[in-house]
Amino acid sequence: MSDVSYVRTEMLPEQLPPNSAPGPVKWMQENLFSGVLNSILTILSVVFLWYVLSGILPWVWNGVWKTGSLAECREAFAVTLGEGSHGAACWSVIRERFLQLMYGFYPSEFYWRPNLSFVLLLIALAPILFSSVPRKMLWFSVLYPFFMPTLLWGGTIWVPILMIAGFAVAYGVYTVAYKQLGNLLSMLSGTVVLIVWMLFAITGLTQMFNAAVTGMVSSGARADLVIDAENLPVEIASLEARQAELTRQIEQSVEQKDALLEAALAEGASKAEKSAFMDMFPEVLLPLRSEASQISGDLRKRKDQLTAAVSSIAAIDRLPEEKASLGDLNATAAMLRADLPDSVSDFSSLQDVDTSVPKADVEALEAAILAETKARTTANSISSTESQIGLIGLTPVESSLFGGFMLALVIGVTGIILSLPLGILLALGRQSDLLIVKSICVGFIEFIRGVPLITLLFVASTLLNYFLPPGTTFDIILRVIIMVTLFAAAYMAEVIRGGLAALPTGQYEAADALGLDYWKATRLIIMPQALKISIPGIVSTFIGLFKDTVLVSIIALADPLGLTNNIRADANWNGIVWELYGFIALVFFIFCFSMSRYSMYLERKLKTGH
């Protein structure tokens, strides 16, 4: 024992590990074949996967990309796979209708606008999602929501500028009132000023700026429109001639293909010869069909431009006369209203008049209403003309043209961005000690969570205008965004409330011990920890919200699933199903999987257990 040293003087040599410890064999023993039951389940799972994939992968891999219809796909399958085969995927429908699935019926000449909007969205989200991005980019993140609607829907640049000015004015009112009224009353004052600005100031100031620009550019705009009205008919005639020639060439090519195919099949051509034959004609037909489709779109665009030019010239010519008559119409309407007896002067329409009112008074009311209607119509015509001529911005695009994944992204991303802060406020309100605030938040959350989203979408589509002042019109996509945001915010509030409930009371007591008020304690101590705990639930709500955007198809919006009906209504693609649904599922999986991966990254980044 005396020869053994207490302190080791040299390291033991390295030895190979036991054969049963490392490598895939050990992993399979522990995870796949750890017992009899697990071994049986593993084998059954492998057999099931083999059965499913052996049918799906060949169907996907052998798909056809270069045909012009489902019938041509089936002809190609019969040639390449044999008469008795079950066929493969007809990916040609994705190739032909890819842009429609992405953008819906958005004008092709404006595709750069949603593309740019999506790129700018990624730039705006970068400083929010990743801390390594410079913090100064948060200013761009703040400004992006103001200009994104103008980029997609078009319209004057004055609206986003005036909205930013409204927030600046509200903040100025809050800053001034804070010193005199305190935090709560100053916030209420700023909010009231912002609401008044949004409801009344923006519309009036926009019309004023448009009228000023119209007065400066109307003569030049009319001259340009006259040139367009003279040149467009020549272009339309040339396009119509080329369209007729392409139609004749396509018909001849199809007849030639059918005749040669029948001859090849009758002569018993080999499989390779048939395959080469089928690959030859798409190279001939596809360019012709592509050019025909492009000419059809150009022709439709030129006709719309001609109609708009003629209409704009007439509107410019009527503008001085309409401005002169508007004052007379308003004066006449005011005089007729003043002459009405008190018994009917308060009525806004003939439907409200009591049947006992004398006929002469009813006729006088009818004349007043008619004069007011003419004045309102003339004012709208003047405003529309000034908006078109004095437009400093982008060409407007109607919401009915939105569709595809662009519509899903607009509704989904907007709902996600708006529902998170609203959900935080609702969660805080539900835990508030103020009875009225708590009752409102609880009632809102429980009501929204107890109503299906489909019902809310029907409300947005048909009933929302009944709860608004007369004459108020809301864009259908805006109404859907409002309902989707409210629906997601109610669920978000419960997720965040769970995070707040998971915090130990010592965190609240520590904030009080530091002398922090409610808002500082919530912003600096409570909410960061609650949000970190709630990350899985928050992201799950986001994913569910994004997938629920397909429900808007029930109110006639052209989401990706709704577009499949339009595509299959085409005689060329009638009967195609799985290819469309598979492609839509793949795109949704990419977006949702990306959100899931980011949530796991964020959880690892914020993990403090180590």
Side-chain angles (χ1 to χ4, degrees):
M1 296 295 291
S2 59
D3 295 336
V4 179
S5 175
Y6 181 75
V7 179
R8 181 165 52 185
T9 58
E10 59 183 12
M11 296 297 295
L12 295 175
E14 295 183 358
Q15 298 180 357
L16 294 175
N19 293 331
S20 60
V25 175
K26 180 65 175 179
W27 182 87
M28 293 176 65
Q29 288 178 352
E30 292 181 351
N31 296 277
L32 300 178
F33 302 99
S34 58
V36 176
L37 179 60
N38 288 345
S39 301
I40 295 173
L41 292 177
T42 298
I43 294 172
L44 291 176
S45 300
V46 170
V47 172
F48 175 75
L49 288 176
W50 174 261
Y51 174 77
V52 173
L53 295 178
S54 63
I56 292 179
L57 293 182
W59 180 80
V60 173
W61 185 257
N62 295 325
V64 179
W65 290 90
K66 295 183 178 181
T67 59
S69 66
L70 180 58
E72 293 181 7
C73 282
R74 290 169 177 169
E75 291 177 3
F77 298 151
V79 172
T80 57
L81 302 179
E83 293 291 344
S85 67
H86 295 288
C90 186
W91 298 120
S92 301
V93 64
I94 304 300
R95 183 175 182 272
E96 181 176 308
R97 299 302 183 100
F98 178 78
L99 294 177
Q100 186 177 7
L101 288 170
M102 290 292 109
Y103 303 100
F105 303 101
Y106 204 84
S108 58
E109 63 270 21
F110 299 144
Y111 280 168
W112 64 270
R113 285 156 57 171
N115 293 340
L116 178 61
S117 179
F118 182 71
V119 172
L120 295 180
L121 172 65
L122 297 180
I123 298 175
L125 291 177
I128 300 174
L129 300 180
F130 303 101
S131 58
S132 58
V133 179
R135 295 294 90 189
K136 291 183 179 179
M137 286 187 61
L138 285 172
W139 284 107
F140 179 78
S141 304
V142 173
L143 295 176
Y144 174 77
F146 293 100
F147 292 95
M148 184 271 289
T150 302
L151 192 58
L152 289 177
W153 277 271
T156 175
I157 195 65
W158 301 119
V159 173
I161 293 176
L162 291 173
M163 290 181 67
I164 296 174
F167 279 92
V169 171
Y171 180 75
V173 171
Y174 166 79
T175 304
V176 173
Y178 183 79
K179 300 177 182 179
Q180 305 295 332
L181 304 177
N183 190 26
L184 180 60
L185 292 179
S186 60
M187 288 181 62
L188 291 176
S189 301
T191 303
V192 171
V193 170
L194 179 62
I195 293 174
V196 172
W197 181 277
M198 293 295 180
L199 292 179
F200 302 103
I202 289 182
T203 302
L205 291 175
T206 300
Q207 292 177 352
M208 183 180 69
F209 292 151
N210 287 337
V213 176
T214 300
M216 293 185 292
V217 303
S218 59
S219 59
R222 189 185 186 284
D224 294 337
L225 289 170
V226 169
I227 294 175
D228 291 340
E230 294 175 350
N231 295 334
L232 284 172
V234 179
E235 296 183 21
I236 291 174
S238 176
L239 289 172
E240 288 178 342
R242 180 56 182 165
Q243 186 182 45
E245 176 64 20
L246 284 173
T247 302
R248 186 183 62 80
Q249 292 180 9
I250 290 173
E251 291 176 352
Q252 289 179 351
S253 298
V254 171
E255 292 175 357
Q256 182 183 8
K257 183 201 73 169
D258 293 339
L260 291 177
L261 179 59
E262 291 178 2
L265 295 176
E267 294 174 0
S270 64
K271 184 176 181 180
E273 292 173 341
K274 294 177 182 177
S275 178
F277 171 80
M278 291 304 299
D279 290 339
M280 178 180 65
F281 276 95
E283 302 299 332
V284 177
L285 285 172
L286 283 179
L288 294 176
R289 285 174 172 165
S290 177
E291 185 181 357
S293 177
Q294 182 178 359
I295 288 179
S296 178
D298 292 342
L299 187 60
R300 183 171 58 253
K301 182 173 68 173
R302 296 293 188 277
K303 290 180 178 179
D304 292 342
Q305 290 175 348
L306 178 60
T307 303
V310 174
S311 176
S312 298
I313 293 172
I316 293 174
D317 293 338
R318 291 195 308 267
L319 193 58
E321 180 183 351
E322 289 180 340
K323 286 186 175 181
S325 64
L326 180 60
D328 297 336
L329 289 172
N330 286 327
T332 302
M335 181 181 65
L336 291 173
R337 277 287 181 182
D339 293 341
L340 288 175
D342 294 338
S343 59
V344 296
S345 60
D346 294 332
F347 293 117
S348 59
S349 66
L350 294 174
Q351 296 177 353
D352 301 329
V353 180
D354 192 351
T355 55
S356 61
V357 176
K359 183 178 179 180
D361 293 341
V362 174
E363 292 176 351
L365 176 61
E366 184 178 5
I369 294 175
L370 180 61
E372 292 169 350
T373 303
K374 289 182 178 180
R376 186 162 54 249
T377 303
T378 303
N380 291 336
S381 177
I382 295 173
S383 176
S384 176
T385 304
E386 291 177 342
S387 298
Q388 293 176 3
I389 302 173
L391 177 66
I392 300 180
L394 299 173
T395 303
V397 177
E398 297 180 0
S399 293
S400 59
L401 301 178
F402 280 58
F405 286 100
M406 182 184 69
L407 178 64
L409 281 174
V410 169
I411 297 175
V413 172
T414 308
I416 287 171
I417 293 175
L418 296 179
S419 64
L420 180 59
L422 184 57
I424 292 174
L425 294 177
L426 289 172
L428 295 175
R430 184 159 190 166
Q431 290 194 330
S432 174
D433 294 330
L434 300 175
L435 179 60
I436 297 178
V437 173
K438 182 175 183 179
S439 301
I440 293 175
C441 292
V442 171
F444 174 84
I445 292 171
E446 296 302 330
F447 173 76
I448 295 296
R449 293 176 70 225
V451 177
L453 178 58
I454 293 178
T455 304
L456 296 179
L457 293 177
F458 275 119
V459 171
S461 176
T462 59
L463 300 178
L464 190 59
N465 282 340
Y466 289 104
F467 300 96
L468 300 174
T472 304
T473 57
F474 263 18
D475 183 87
I476 180 63
I477 296 180
L478 178 59
R479 283 181 273 167
V480 169
I481 288 174
I482 291 174
M483 287 302 178
V484 168
T485 300
L486 296 179
F487 182 82
Y491 284 87
M492 192 68 65
E494 290 300 281
V495 171
I496 296 173
R497 188 171 70 92
L500 293 172
L503 285 181
T505 56
Q507 298 296 314
Y508 296 90
E509 295 170 354
D512 294 337
L514 291 174
L516 301 177
D517 60 19
Y518 175 79
W519 293 109
K520 287 185 177 180
T522 301
R523 180 171 60 89
L524 300 175
I525 296 179
I526 304 303
M527 194 52 63
Q529 299 182 73
L531 291 177
K532 185 182 74 172
I533 296 172
S534 306
I535 285 175
I538 292 174
V539 176
S540 296
T541 305
F542 286 166
I543 292 174
L545 170 62
F546 183 68
K547 292 188 296 185
D548 285 343
T549 56
V550 299
L551 294 176
V552 299
S553 60
I554 65 175
I555 56 173
L557 288 180
D559 74 301
L561 284 183
L563 283 175
T564 59
N565 296 326
N566 295 329
I567 294 174
R568 288 186 285 114
D570 187 349
N572 290 329
W573 304 112
N574 189 11
I576 201 162
V577 177
W578 293 108
E579 292 84 348
L580 293 171
Y581 290 152
F583 174 75
I584 293 171
L586 176 63
V587 175
F588 270 104
F589 173 79
I590 292 173
F591 281 103
C592 296
F593 184 74
S594 301
M595 286 189 278
S596 176
R597 293 298 97 183
Y598 174 77
S599 71
M600 297 180 66
Y601 155 79
L602 195 60
E603 287 183 62
R604 291 192 300 269
K605 182 178 177 62
L606 298 179
K607 186 176 181 181
T608 57
H610 58 278

